[in-house]
Amino acid sequence: MNTEDLKLLAKNLANPEGEKGIEIAEMMDTTNISMTMESIAALELDDSDRILEIGHGNAGHLKQLLKLADDLNYTGLDISETMRDQALRKNIKFENQSQFFVYDGQNIPFVEQSFDKIFTVNTLYFWKEPQAFLEEIYRVLRNNGTFVLTFGHKDFMSNLPFTQYGFQLYHTEDVEKLIAKSQFVQVKLLQKEEWIPGKTGDGPVKRNYTILTLKK
């Protein structure tokens, strides 16, 4: 891929738009599904939980999530109108248990203590003010609620040619320092690795990632 192709890929990984965004979102759904489901497992869902996912993409995983407990209510939040629309279309069967919203990437448009469980996968790289955004997540999480934060390791991510365009990469220790400065309490850390298809057509790559479980 040339520089312009890599920039377009990076842009649509951060904020999928239009037909190209839909195409890349389908690829993300395929390559990230195990990472996403591992993150959902870390939430330890209970019946009637109110769940918020930040950066839901096309939400192709929602059907699997809703099977994990009874009477779940899911809210998806994304900066991409394209993804909001795709998620609505894909999940029309679950409209009684789900809703999708667009936001500005910094201010979460819900009142304090709205959710029992919150998770986000592969969005950390695009947070404009990580410390302030952690506090926003803390604000909308209920007391004793769980937040799961999942991200690819900097050592892995820095080898991907598109991450030089708009990605802020982190070692696990960097993120733990962010958490330590927040009001969250870190209760669990999982290190995972898996082989996934490469996004630039260069064959499979081994992804190393971290799942952090935090409590309010």
Side-chain angles (χ1 to χ4, degrees), residues 68-186:
L68 297 176
D70 294 329
D71 300 317
L72 295 174
N73 185 277
Y74 169 97
T75 298
L77 195 59
D78 209 291
I79 62 172
S80 167
E81 290 187 16
T82 299
M83 288 301 94
R84 187 269 316 274
D85 294 344
Q86 280 296 105
L88 283 169
R89 277 195 284 270
K90 272 185 174 286
N91 295 289
I92 190 70
K93 291 181 180 178
F94 311 113
E95 61 183 349
N96 292 331
Q97 286 182 268
S98 64
Q99 45 277 318
F100 298 91
F101 299 93
V102 176
Y103 80 125
D104 63 5
Q106 293 178 278
N107 302 292
I108 298 177
F110 304 111
V111 300
E112 289 79 1
Q113 301 194 44
S114 292
F115 302 98
D116 302 292
K117 309 284 170 66
I118 301 176
F119 74 107
T120 190
V121 179
N122 285 331
T123 68
L124 174 62
Y125 331 116
F126 312 115
W127 294 5
K128 293 177 182 177
E129 297 182 38
Q131 210 70 59
F133 195 58
L134 278 173
E135 296 308 323
E136 267 291 272
I137 294 168
Y138 189 90
R139 179 182 66 80
V140 299
L141 186 64
R142 290 179 177 169
N143 292 333
N144 202 40
T146 301
F147 170 46
V148 168
L149 173 61
T150 302
F151 57 95
H153 295 175
K154 184 175 183 177
D155 290 343
F156 158 70
M157 297 288 290
S158 60
N159 290 322
L160 303 175
F162 51 83
T163 58
Q164 62 186 299
Y165 304 108
F167 284 65
Q168 175 63 52
L169 305 180
Y170 296 86
H171 294 296
T172 298
E173 311 86 75
D174 300 329
V175 181
E176 289 186 296
K177 288 176 183 176
L178 285 174
I179 301 303
K181 293 177 183 176
S182 76
Q183 299 182 74
F184 279 109
V185 176
Q186 181 178 319

